[in-house]
């Protein structure tokens, strides 16, 4: 995935070596690996007549976690630290967006981090990652909007990161993951024939 950094409006912090490394790690076939793994799991479950996953968020999180851990980043579940850099990669509900900024404030002020980074996919990418819930998740656009709103209230060295696909899976898998995947529908037992 491609990671594009944008400085918070109140500061223009220097990129740390870890922030550069993070962008390089995410660009190293994260999207392609996640797409292939998600498709394989989904296809296998459909073939067995089982309920298949609708969104690839779980798979994407696992690939990101694996790659960052291999590169020496500490943490999991979207929170990572290496050296003097703290990173939050979020695919959470938008109601949690304020806590991401509060966490960034705490690690900079209380733990002395030189740089905090909050990263989210843009809305178009979220539509592919989790088509049914994209509107309810934290997007890069929502992060940027809140950062603008917090101008004058925060002074920490903060970057906002935008994730977009950079590499693609094989064309058949890419086409499949970009298809609309509707939620399962629940049928009332009263409407079933007896």
């Amino acid at each position: 995935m491609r990671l594009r950094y944008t400085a918070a409006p109140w500061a223009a912090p220097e990129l740390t070596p870890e922030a550069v490394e993070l962008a390089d790690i995410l660009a190293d076939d994260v999207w392609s690996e996640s797409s292939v793994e998600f498709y394989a799991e989904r296809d296998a479950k459909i073939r067995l007549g089982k309920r298949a996953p609708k969104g690839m968020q779980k798979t994407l999180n696992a690939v990101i976690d694996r790659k960052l851990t291999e590169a020496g980043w500490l943490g999991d579940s979207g929170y990572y630290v290496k050296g003097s850099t703290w990173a939050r990669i979020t695919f959470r509900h938008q109601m949690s967006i304020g806590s991401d900024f509060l966490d960034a404030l705490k690690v900079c002020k209380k733990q002395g981090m030189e740089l905090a980074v909050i990263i989210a996919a843009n809305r178009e990418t979220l539509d592919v990652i989790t088509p049914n819930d994209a509107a309810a998740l934290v997007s890069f656009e929502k992060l940027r909007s809140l950062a603008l709103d917090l101008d004058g209230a925060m002074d920490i060295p903060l970057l906002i990161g935008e994730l977009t696909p950079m590499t693609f899976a094989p064309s058949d898998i890419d086409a499949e993951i970009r298809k609309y995947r509707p939620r399962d529908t629940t049928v009332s037992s009263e409407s079933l024939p007896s």
Side-chain angles (χ1 to χ4, degrees):
M1 298 191 83
R2 181 172 68 100
L3 173 56
R4 180 180 63 97
Y5 289 121
T6 302
W10 55 83
E14 297 270 335
L15 274 178
T16 60
E18 296 86 6
V20 173
E21 177 189 56
L22 180 59
D24 291 341
I25 291 167
L26 293 173
D28 186 29
D29 287 334
V30 166
W31 183 257
S32 179
E33 279 185 45
S34 300
S35 299
V36 170
E37 287 181 27
F38 170 71
Y39 176 79
E41 179 186 2
R42 183 170 165 75
D43 186 57
K45 288 190 176 182
I46 289 171
R47 289 176 188 267
L48 292 171
K50 294 184 177 180
R51 191 172 174 179
K54 303 290 186 245
M56 62 185 286
Q57 176 184 341
K58 179 181 170 188
T59 307
L60 183 58
N61 284 338
V63 170
I64 290 171
D65 188 56
R66 182 174 66 241
K67 287 189 172 282
L68 289 178
T69 300
E70 289 170 359
W73 287 76
L74 302 175
D76 59 21
S77 303
Y79 295 97
Y80 303 96
V81 174
K82 187 170 185 183
S84 60
T85 303
W86 174 86
R88 170 68 173 128
I89 303 172
T90 183
F91 295 103
R92 296 190 311 168
H93 193 280
Q94 64 187 344
M95 288 176 52
S96 70
I97 194 170
S99 68
D100 292 335
F101 281 85
L102 182 59
D103 289 340
L105 178 67
K106 285 191 295 190
V107 297
C108 288
K109 297 289 186 176
K110 294 177 87 174
Q111 297 175 18
M113 289 290 149
E114 289 179 27
L115 181 63
V117 180
I118 305 174
I119 301 165
N122 63 27
R123 176 54 200 270
E124 184 180 335
T125 303
L126 285 175
D127 284 334
V128 176
I129 293 170
T130 181
N132 294 313
D133 300 316
L137 299 183
V138 173
S139 66
F140 168 75
E141 293 86 354
K142 291 173 186 170
L143 285 176
R144 186 176 51 200
S145 177
L146 184 54
L148 290 171
D149 192 44
L150 290 171
D151 192 14
M154 292 186 92
D155 63 353
I156 60 171
L158 177 68
L159 295 175
I160 305 298
E162 178 184 19
L163 284 176
T164 54
M166 186 176 94
T167 56
F168 293 94
S171 59
D172 57 336
I173 292 175
D174 190 62
E176 187 64 31
I177 66 166
R178 291 177 185 278
K179 282 184 183 175
Y180 177 66
R181 298 181 300 273
R183 291 183 189 273
D184 293 330
T185 55
T186 304
V187 179
S188 166
S189 61
E190 294 171 2
S191 64
L192 294 174
S194 15

